[in-house]
Amino acid sequence: MKTLLSSFRRLPITRILDPTIPLSGYTLLDLSVTNPDLKHISLSDPDACQKYIDEVLVRKKARVAYGGYLEQRDLYSGNVNFALDEERRDVHLGVDFWAKAGTRVVAPLDGEVHSFKNNAVQGDYGPTIILRHELEGMLFHSLYGHLSLESLDGLYVGKAFKKGEELATLGTPEVNVHYAPHLHFQLILDLQRKKGDYPGVCRASEVDFYSRNCPDPMLLFRCRSN
């Protein structure tokens, strides 16, 4: 992983959303269980979640709110798919970019389609694309979740995307399985034979493995997610 992250630092600056949005239009967002502002907000309700995000964007004079890597959240409470045993899955493994539905997603690196799928189960990603990348001889993957259905049109395994080329657009809550509109972006070293899907949330006891297999995506943009 250290070698891969070193390679990221040698890349030109990259973007993942509509390049017309200036960097000054981004602000960090804290959706962790330690944020006192969320004490009486039901983040699992997309309307309530969107209202809170809009308040942050207005306060920060921003257009995109981002963050969440290894953040422990209450966002998944009440969903049985995250509580199948005594230890609930509530640690987020990617970075979320909260923006309006329809916002363009661009490929941050050259890559090709590894797999894609509409994971239409509440709590999952909805329409999802996974790209395969090779950088200085190293193979890894990037996952894009909560997209629009149209984002899957015309895709096929092996389809190439150049850095900066439009890859997808953000979906609405009706399509992205009941979340406020956002992009879930995750780096994955070993997909463990999965196609079109990969865990984006883990249990606290699994953080050691997943933090090694899914490094902080914001390092690709030369900053940390929190």
Side-chain angles (χ1 to χ4, degrees), residues 38-155:
L38 301 176
K39 186 175 181 180
H40 301 294
I41 297 175
S42 176
L43 292 179
S44 58
D45 178 342
D47 293 330
C49 184
Q50 187 66 64
K51 181 181 178 182
Y52 175 72
I53 292 168
D54 287 342
E55 290 171 353
V56 172
L57 292 175
V58 170
R59 187 167 67 249
K60 299 291 186 177
K61 299 180 180 179
R63 294 172 59 184
V64 178
Y66 73 94
Y69 180 65
L70 299 187
E71 192 172 69
Q72 188 174 24
R73 296 172 165 179
D74 276 333
L75 181 62
Y76 319 106
S77 61
N79 190 318
V80 296
N81 293 318
F82 290 88
L84 297 177
D85 54 28
E86 293 182 359
E87 187 182 5
R88 188 175 70 177
R89 291 192 299 128
D90 61 3
V91 179
H92 191 249
L93 297 172
V95 166
D96 287 334
F97 292 85
W98 304 85
K100 292 181 179 179
T103 299
R104 291 189 295 143
V105 179
V106 299
L109 298 166
D110 292 351
E112 63 179 37
V113 175
H114 170 276
S115 51
F116 55 96
K117 182 182 177 183
N118 183 10
N119 297 292
V121 176
Q122 185 172 345
D124 211 317
Y125 297 121
T128 309
I129 299 173
I130 297 178
L131 296 184
R132 176 185 181 274
H133 307 278
E134 183 173 353
L135 182 61
E136 298 183 352
M138 293 169 286
L139 299 178
F140 63 100
H141 302 83
S142 57
L143 182 150
Y144 309 78
H146 307 296
L147 308 175
S148 65
L149 282 171
E150 293 77 12
S151 300
L152 304 186
D153 291 346
L155 288 187

